[in-house]
């Protein structure tokens, strides 16, 4: 998938490997209870959006079957389940906790990648071209959808 200006402006989550290739991808490979998992990370590249989160798809085995998807917030690394797949909430919690505790530096690497993706978004979007900046000039109510395109209410996103 090629990241387009429209995708970046709309706040579509884009995979890190789609932009930068598979560097450091081995840091997101781990074994849990005899099963091999790979974590694929996706980010909003809109430089004006202050979402501070990463989408993580947990993939099992090779070539890879997506298992479940979570959204993790920075800086506290709390997460919410977006798509549990066939996993229970308890099972997801155990796998994610294992990943956070045992993949040394991986969680901090996610935060570094977030900043790299935002920087790349700045490079791709020409100055003054971001439609979100124009929308932000309009008064946004606390309960209105956030103009960054995250789908959240303004008070729960950029209005913090």
């Amino acid at each position: 998938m090629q990241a387009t200006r429209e995708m970046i402006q709309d706040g579509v989550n884009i995979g890190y490997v789609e932009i930068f290739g598979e560097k450091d991808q081995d840091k997101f490979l781990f074994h849990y209870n005899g099963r091999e998992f790979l974590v694929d990370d996706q980010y909003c590249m809109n430089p004006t959006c202050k979402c501070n989160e990463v989408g993580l798809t947990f993939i099992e085995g090779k070539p890879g079957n997506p298992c479940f998807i979570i959204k993790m917030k920075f800086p506290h690394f709390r997460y919410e389940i977006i798509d549990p797949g066939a996993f229970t909430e308890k099972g997801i919690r155990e796998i994610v906790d294992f990943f956070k505790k045992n993949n040394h530096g991986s969680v901090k690497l996610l935060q570094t990648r977030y900043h790299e993706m935002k920087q790349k978004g700045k490079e791709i979007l020409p100055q003054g071209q971001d439609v979100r900046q124009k929308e932000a000039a309009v008064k946004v109510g606390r309960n209105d959808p956030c103009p960054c395109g995250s789908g959240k209410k303004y008070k729960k996103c950029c209005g913090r």
Side-chain angles (χ1 to χ4, degrees):
M1 166 177 62
Q2 179 67 31
T4 65
R5 289 181 178 149
E6 292 80 18
M7 292 169 67
I8 294 169
Q9 289 173 338
D10 291 342
V12 173
N13 276 1
I14 300 167
Y16 184 87
V17 297
E18 304 296 332
I19 304 299
F20 293 103
E22 295 187 11
K23 74 175 189 177
D24 294 325
Q25 196 63 25
D26 60 322
K27 294 196 182 333
F28 300 119
L29 182 67
F30 67 100
H31 292 84
Y32 176 75
N33 281 348
R35 299 163 81 176
E36 183 178 70
F37 290 93
L38 176 67
V39 180
D40 181 43
D41 50 330
Q42 308 95 36
Y43 305 85
C44 163
M45 293 177 67
N46 186 327
T48 63
C49 178
K50 306 293 184 220
C51 55
N52 256 351
E53 61 192 26
V54 56
L56 299 175
T57 302
F58 284 72
I59 301 167
E60 183 176 8
K62 294 177 184 172
N65 299 313
C67 297
F68 60 89
I69 302 169
I70 65 169
K71 184 176 0 175
M72 187 178 289
K73 295 286 256 177
F74 302 121
H76 303 293
F77 307 109
R78 293 189 187 106
Y79 63 90
E80 67 178 281
I81 299 168
I82 303 301
D83 181 357
F87 284 72
T88 64
E89 186 174 331
K90 181 182 182 221
I92 291 171
R93 186 175 55 249
E94 289 172 356
I95 293 169
V96 172
D97 288 347
F98 181 86
F99 171 72
K100 286 168 54 177
K101 289 177 187 167
N102 295 294
N103 289 53
H104 303 290
S106 295
V107 178
K108 289 287 187 188
L109 181 58
L110 292 171
Q111 200 166 20
T112 300
R113 286 178 165 209
Y114 168 83
H115 294 294
E116 289 176 9
M117 292 289 277
K118 291 292 186 180
Q119 183 60 42
K120 191 68 169 178
K122 281 182 187 176
E123 295 170 15
I124 294 172
L125 284 180
Q127 291 292 0
Q129 292 275 329
D130 190 355
V131 296
R132 301 296 174 239
Q133 290 175 340
K134 295 173 192 162
E135 290 175 7
V138 176
K139 178 87 170 140
V140 179
R142 287 176 37 84
N143 290 313
D144 292 342
C146 191
C148 78
S150 68
K152 297 178 185 178
K153 289 184 178 183
Y154 179 71
K155 68 182 179 186
K156 295 281 187 175
C157 191
C158 296
R160 291 185 184 183

